[in-house]
mmCIF file of all heavy atoms in Angstrom:
data_model
loop_
_atom_site.group_PDB
_atom_site.id
_atom_site.type_symbol
_atom_site.label_atom_id
_atom_site.label_comp_id
_atom_site.label_asym_id
_atom_site.label_seq_id
_atom_site.Cartn_x
_atom_site.Cartn_y
_atom_site.Cartn_z
ATOM 1 N N HIS Q 1312 -14.064 3.545 7.512
ATOM 2 C CA HIS Q 1312 -15.380 4.167 7.526
ATOM 3 C C HIS Q 1312 -15.231 5.675 7.656
ATOM 4 O O HIS Q 1312 -14.447 6.141 8.502
ATOM 5 C CB HIS Q 1312 -16.210 3.641 8.698
ATOM 6 C CG HIS Q 1312 -17.551 4.291 8.794
ATOM 7 N ND1 HIS Q 1312 -18.615 3.944 7.977
ATOM 8 C CD2 HIS Q 1312 -17.999 5.309 9.568
ATOM 9 C CE1 HIS Q 1312 -19.644 4.700 8.272
ATOM 10 N NE2 HIS Q 1312 -19.307 5.529 9.240
ATOM 11 N N PRO Q 1313 -15.894 6.459 6.828
ATOM 12 C CA PRO Q 1313 -16.797 6.017 5.764
ATOM 13 C C PRO Q 1313 -16.016 5.626 4.506
ATOM 14 O O PRO Q 1313 -14.817 5.865 4.420
ATOM 15 C CB PRO Q 1313 -17.645 7.262 5.516
ATOM 16 C CG PRO Q 1313 -16.703 8.393 5.819
ATOM 17 C CD PRO Q 1313 -15.835 7.922 6.950
ATOM 18 N N SER Q 1314 -16.698 5.053 3.556
ATOM 19 C CA SER Q 1314 -16.045 4.725 2.291
ATOM 20 C C SER Q 1314 -16.000 5.955 1.379
ATOM 21 O O SER Q 1314 -15.127 6.048 0.516
ATOM 22 C CB SER Q 1314 -16.789 3.590 1.591
ATOM 23 O OG SER Q 1314 -18.141 3.957 1.359
ATOM 24 N N ARG Q 1315 -16.956 6.836 1.607
ATOM 25 C CA ARG Q 1315 -17.027 8.037 0.777
ATOM 26 C C ARG Q 1315 -17.639 9.155 1.608
ATOM 27 O O ARG Q 1315 -18.593 8.928 2.343
ATOM 28 C CB ARG Q 1315 -17.904 7.747 -0.440
ATOM 29 C CG ARG Q 1315 -17.988 8.834 -1.474
ATOM 30 C CD ARG Q 1315 -18.901 8.394 -2.611
ATOM 31 N NE ARG Q 1315 -18.362 7.227 -3.295
ATOM 32 C CZ ARG Q 1315 -17.588 7.286 -4.367
ATOM 33 N NH1 ARG Q 1315 -17.245 8.447 -4.870
ATOM 34 N NH2 ARG Q 1315 -17.150 6.182 -4.937
ATOM 35 N N VAL Q 1316 -17.056 10.329 1.512
ATOM 36 C CA VAL Q 1316 -17.585 11.468 2.256
ATOM 37 C C VAL Q 1316 -17.410 12.753 1.456
ATOM 38 O O VAL Q 1316 -16.380 12.951 0.822
ATOM 39 C CB VAL Q 1316 -16.919 11.579 3.653
ATOM 40 C CG1 VAL Q 1316 -15.409 11.718 3.542
ATOM 41 C CG2 VAL Q 1316 -17.506 12.726 4.454
ATOM 42 N N ILE Q 1317 -18.438 13.566 1.511
ATOM 43 C CA ILE Q 1317 -18.396 14.888 0.888
ATOM 44 C C ILE Q 1317 -18.610 15.910 1.995
ATOM 45 O O ILE Q 1317 -19.551 15.783 2.781
ATOM 46 C CB ILE Q 1317 -19.487 15.032 -0.187
ATOM 47 C CG1 ILE Q 1317 -19.307 13.964 -1.276
ATOM 48 C CG2 ILE Q 1317 -19.447 16.438 -0.804
ATOM 49 C CD1 ILE Q 1317 -20.436 13.931 -2.293
ATOM 50 N N CYS Q 1318 -17.741 16.885 2.067
ATOM 51 C CA CYS Q 1318 -17.889 17.889 3.112
ATOM 52 C C CYS Q 1318 -17.639 19.270 2.523
ATOM 53 O O CYS Q 1318 -17.072 19.410 1.431
ATOM 54 C CB CYS Q 1318 -16.933 17.616 4.268
ATOM 55 S SG CYS Q 1318 -15.206 17.916 3.887
ATOM 56 N N LYS Q 1319 -18.048 20.259 3.281
ATOM 57 C CA LYS Q 1319 -17.857 21.638 2.843
ATOM 58 C C LYS Q 1319 -16.513 22.158 3.312
ATOM 59 O O LYS Q 1319 -15.990 21.735 4.349
ATOM 60 C CB LYS Q 1319 -18.986 22.521 3.363
ATOM 61 C CG LYS Q 1319 -20.354 22.155 2.794
ATOM 62 C CD LYS Q 1319 -21.391 23.234 3.085
ATOM 63 C CE LYS Q 1319 -22.695 22.868 2.377
ATOM 64 N NZ LYS Q 1319 -23.659 23.972 2.415
ATOM 65 N N SER Q 1320 -15.992 23.068 2.557
ATOM 66 C CA SER Q 1320 -14.708 23.660 2.886
ATOM 67 C C SER Q 1320 -14.763 24.287 4.267
ATOM 68 O O SER Q 1320 -15.730 24.958 4.620
ATOM 69 C CB SER Q 1320 -14.362 24.716 1.832
ATOM 70 O OG SER Q 1320 -13.070 25.215 2.041
ATOM 71 N N GLY Q 1321 -13.741 24.029 5.057
ATOM 72 C CA GLY Q 1321 -13.676 24.586 6.395
ATOM 73 C C GLY Q 1321 -14.120 23.647 7.490
ATOM 74 O O GLY Q 1321 -13.853 23.891 8.674
ATOM 75 N N THR Q 1322 -14.779 22.572 7.134
ATOM 76 C CA THR Q 1322 -15.225 21.605 8.131
ATOM 77 C C THR Q 1322 -14.166 20.533 8.336
ATOM 78 O O THR Q 1322 -13.202 20.434 7.572
ATOM 79 C CB THR Q 1322 -16.547 20.943 7.718
ATOM 80 O OG1 THR Q 1322 -16.351 20.243 6.473
ATOM 81 C CG2 THR Q 1322 -17.636 21.989 7.535
ATOM 82 N N SER Q 1323 -14.357 19.731 9.372
ATOM 83 C CA SER Q 1323 -13.427 18.641 9.676
ATOM 84 C C SER Q 1323 -14.084 17.296 9.407
ATOM 85 O O SER Q 1323 -15.290 17.142 9.575
ATOM 86 C CB SER Q 1323 -12.975 18.711 11.132
ATOM 87 O OG SER Q 1323 -12.232 19.883 11.362
ATOM 88 N N VAL Q 1324 -13.278 16.365 8.998
ATOM 89 C CA VAL Q 1324 -13.776 15.027 8.668
ATOM 90 C C VAL Q 1324 -12.921 13.988 9.366
ATOM 91 O O VAL Q 1324 -11.688 14.066 9.332
ATOM 92 C CB VAL Q 1324 -13.717 14.789 7.141
ATOM 93 C CG1 VAL Q 1324 -14.099 13.362 6.809
ATOM 94 C CG2 VAL Q 1324 -14.614 15.771 6.419
ATOM 95 N N LYS Q 1325 -13.594 13.009 9.970
ATOM 96 C CA LYS Q 1325 -12.872 11.931 10.643
ATOM 97 C C LYS Q 1325 -13.034 10.631 9.863
ATOM 98 O O LYS Q 1325 -14.151 10.254 9.486
ATOM 99 C CB LYS Q 1325 -13.390 11.728 12.070
ATOM 100 C CG LYS Q 1325 -12.680 10.582 12.807
ATOM 101 C CD LYS Q 1325 -13.269 10.312 14.168
ATOM 102 C CE LYS Q 1325 -12.896 11.362 15.157
ATOM 103 N NZ LYS Q 1325 -13.320 11.006 16.539
ATOM 104 N N ILE Q 1326 -11.922 9.954 9.648
ATOM 105 C CA ILE Q 1326 -11.928 8.663 8.955
ATOM 106 C C ILE Q 1326 -11.413 7.609 9.925
ATOM 107 O O ILE Q 1326 -10.375 7.797 10.558
ATOM 108 C CB ILE Q 1326 -11.025 8.702 7.702
ATOM 109 C CG1 ILE Q 1326 -11.468 9.805 6.746
ATOM 110 C CG2 ILE Q 1326 -11.033 7.350 6.997
ATOM 111 C CD1 ILE Q 1326 -10.501 10.070 5.605
ATOM 112 N N GLU Q 1327 -12.146 6.509 10.032
ATOM 113 C CA GLU Q 1327 -11.756 5.430 10.934
ATOM 114 C C GLU Q 1327 -11.125 4.271 10.183
ATOM 115 O O GLU Q 1327 -11.561 3.924 9.083
ATOM 116 C CB GLU Q 1327 -12.979 4.908 11.702
ATOM 117 C CG GLU Q 1327 -13.577 5.891 12.664
ATOM 118 C CD GLU Q 1327 -14.708 5.273 13.471
ATOM 119 O OE1 GLU Q 1327 -15.159 4.168 13.113
ATOM 120 O OE2 GLU Q 1327 -15.132 5.907 14.455
ATOM 121 N N CYS Q 1328 -10.149 3.680 10.799
ATOM 122 C CA CYS Q 1328 -9.481 2.493 10.245
ATOM 123 C C CYS Q 1328 -9.468 1.430 11.339
ATOM 124 O O CYS Q 1328 -8.948 1.667 12.427
ATOM 125 C CB CYS Q 1328 -8.060 2.847 9.827
ATOM 126 S SG CYS Q 1328 -7.080 1.439 9.228
ATOM 127 N N ARG Q 1329 -10.025 0.271 11.039
ATOM 128 C CA ARG Q 1329 -10.093 -0.803 12.027
ATOM 129 C C ARG Q 1329 -9.499 -2.092 11.502
ATOM 130 O O ARG Q 1329 -9.737 -2.469 10.349
ATOM 131 C CB ARG Q 1329 -11.556 -1.089 12.409
ATOM 132 C CG ARG Q 1329 -12.253 0.022 13.152
ATOM 133 C CD ARG Q 1329 -13.680 -0.350 13.531
ATOM 134 N NE ARG Q 1329 -14.377 0.776 14.125
ATOM 135 C CZ ARG Q 1329 -14.345 1.084 15.412
ATOM 136 N NH1 ARG Q 1329 -13.664 0.309 16.238
ATOM 137 N NH2 ARG Q 1329 -15.013 2.119 15.864
ATOM 138 N N SER Q 1330 -8.731 -2.737 12.340
ATOM 139 C CA SER Q 1330 -8.280 -4.097 12.037
ATOM 140 C C SER Q 1330 -9.296 -5.031 12.675
ATOM 141 O O SER Q 1330 -9.500 -5.000 13.881
ATOM 142 C CB SER Q 1330 -6.873 -4.346 12.586
ATOM 143 O OG SER Q 1330 -6.813 -4.099 13.974
ATOM 144 N N LEU Q 1331 -9.955 -5.826 11.865
ATOM 145 C CA LEU Q 1331 -11.124 -6.567 12.339
ATOM 146 C C LEU Q 1331 -10.799 -7.868 13.054
ATOM 147 O O LEU Q 1331 -11.548 -8.307 13.916
ATOM 148 C CB LEU Q 1331 -12.068 -6.842 11.166
ATOM 149 C CG LEU Q 1331 -12.641 -5.596 10.488
ATOM 150 C CD1 LEU Q 1331 -13.636 -5.978 9.406
ATOM 151 C CD2 LEU Q 1331 -13.296 -4.661 11.497
ATOM 152 N N ASP Q 1332 -9.720 -8.514 12.700
ATOM 153 C CA ASP Q 1332 -9.464 -9.820 13.288
ATOM 154 C C ASP Q 1332 -8.038 -9.981 13.780
ATOM 155 O O ASP Q 1332 -7.559 -11.101 13.974
ATOM 156 C CB ASP Q 1332 -9.816 -10.931 12.301
ATOM 157 C CG ASP Q 1332 -9.158 -10.709 10.951
ATOM 158 O OD1 ASP Q 1332 -8.443 -9.696 10.798
ATOM 159 O OD2 ASP Q 1332 -9.364 -11.535 10.048
ATOM 160 N N PHE Q 1333 -7.358 -8.854 13.976
ATOM 161 C CA PHE Q 1333 -6.030 -8.943 14.562
ATOM 162 C C PHE Q 1333 -5.711 -7.608 15.224
ATOM 163 O O PHE Q 1333 -6.342 -6.599 14.959
ATOM 164 C CB PHE Q 1333 -4.971 -9.286 13.505
ATOM 165 C CG PHE Q 1333 -4.746 -8.212 12.470
ATOM 166 C CD1 PHE Q 1333 -3.653 -7.347 12.551
ATOM 167 C CD2 PHE Q 1333 -5.628 -8.049 11.404
ATOM 168 C CE1 PHE Q 1333 -3.446 -6.360 11.603
ATOM 169 C CE2 PHE Q 1333 -5.418 -7.063 10.445
ATOM 170 C CZ PHE Q 1333 -4.326 -6.221 10.554
ATOM 171 N N GLN Q 1334 -4.751 -7.645 16.090
ATOM 172 C CA GLN Q 1334 -4.343 -6.434 16.769
ATOM 173 C C GLN Q 1334 -3.165 -5.801 16.038
ATOM 174 O O GLN Q 1334 -2.233 -6.497 15.655
ATOM 175 C CB GLN Q 1334 -3.967 -6.744 18.222
ATOM 176 C CG GLN Q 1334 -5.139 -7.230 19.052
ATOM 177 C CD GLN Q 1334 -4.758 -7.451 20.505
ATOM 178 O OE1 GLN Q 1334 -3.624 -7.795 20.800
ATOM 179 N NE2 GLN Q 1334 -5.706 -7.245 21.410
ATOM 180 N N ALA Q 1335 -3.235 -4.522 15.859
ATOM 181 C CA ALA Q 1335 -2.211 -3.813 15.095
ATOM 182 C C ALA Q 1335 -1.599 -2.709 15.937
ATOM 183 O O ALA Q 1335 -2.235 -1.701 16.217
ATOM 184 C CB ALA Q 1335 -2.815 -3.221 13.824
ATOM 185 N N THR Q 1336 -0.366 -2.925 16.356
ATOM 186 C CA THR Q 1336 0.301 -1.879 17.122
ATOM 187 C C THR Q 1336 0.708 -0.716 16.225
ATOM 188 O O THR Q 1336 0.894 0.389 16.694
ATOM 189 C CB THR Q 1336 1.549 -2.434 17.823
ATOM 190 O OG1 THR Q 1336 2.400 -3.029 16.828
ATOM 191 C CG2 THR Q 1336 1.171 -3.478 18.855
ATOM 192 N N THR Q 1337 0.824 -0.999 14.943
ATOM 193 C CA THR Q 1337 1.225 0.031 14.001
ATOM 194 C C THR Q 1337 0.277 0.070 12.820
ATOM 195 O O THR Q 1337 -0.023 -0.966 12.226
ATOM 196 C CB THR Q 1337 2.653 -0.219 13.481
ATOM 197 O OG1 THR Q 1337 3.551 -0.303 14.589
ATOM 198 C CG2 THR Q 1337 3.092 0.913 12.563
ATOM 199 N N MET Q 1338 -0.201 1.249 12.516
ATOM 200 C CA MET Q 1338 -1.027 1.471 11.333
ATOM 201 C C MET Q 1338 -0.418 2.610 10.541
ATOM 202 O O MET Q 1338 0.307 3.438 11.077
ATOM 203 C CB MET Q 1338 -2.472 1.797 11.721
ATOM 204 C CG MET Q 1338 -3.235 0.624 12.337
ATOM 205 S SD MET Q 1338 -4.968 1.045 12.672
ATOM 206 C CE MET Q 1338 -5.618 -0.552 13.145
ATOM 207 N N PHE Q 1339 -0.717 2.639 9.272
ATOM 208 C CA PHE Q 1339 -0.181 3.658 8.382
ATOM 209 C C PHE Q 1339 -1.330 4.350 7.661
ATOM 210 O O PHE Q 1339 -2.335 3.729 7.319
ATOM 211 C CB PHE Q 1339 0.771 3.034 7.361
ATOM 212 C CG PHE Q 1339 1.942 2.306 7.973
ATOM 213 C CD1 PHE Q 1339 1.837 0.973 8.307
ATOM 214 C CD2 PHE Q 1339 3.143 2.965 8.217
ATOM 215 C CE1 PHE Q 1339 2.905 0.293 8.870
ATOM 216 C CE2 PHE Q 1339 4.217 2.301 8.778
ATOM 217 C CZ PHE Q 1339 4.099 0.947 9.106
ATOM 218 N N TRP Q 1340 -1.123 5.621 7.361
ATOM 219 C CA TRP Q 1340 -2.102 6.376 6.573
ATOM 220 C C TRP Q 1340 -1.444 6.859 5.289
ATOM 221 O O TRP Q 1340 -0.331 7.420 5.312
ATOM 222 C CB TRP Q 1340 -2.636 7.566 7.364
ATOM 223 C CG TRP Q 1340 -3.603 7.149 8.433
ATOM 224 C CD1 TRP Q 1340 -3.336 6.934 9.755
ATOM 225 C CD2 TRP Q 1340 -5.003 6.890 8.259
ATOM 226 N NE1 TRP Q 1340 -4.482 6.555 10.415
ATOM 227 C CE2 TRP Q 1340 -5.515 6.517 9.524
ATOM 228 C CE3 TRP Q 1340 -5.871 6.940 7.165
ATOM 229 C CZ2 TRP Q 1340 -6.866 6.202 9.716
ATOM 230 C CZ3 TRP Q 1340 -7.198 6.621 7.361
ATOM 231 C CH2 TRP Q 1340 -7.693 6.260 8.616
#
Side-chain angles (χ1 to χ4, degrees):
Chain Q
H1312 178 78
S1314 58
R1315 185 180 297 267
V1316 58
I1317 301 173
C1318 71
K1319 296 193 175 190
S1320 186
T1322 61
S1323 295
V1324 174
K1325 179 185 286 188
I1326 302 170
E1327 293 185 348
C1328 176
R1329 293 182 186 273
S1330 56
L1331 298 184
D1332 51 0
F1333 67 101
Q1334 295 183 329
T1336 56
T1337 304
M1338 291 184 172
F1339 301 88
W1340 285 96

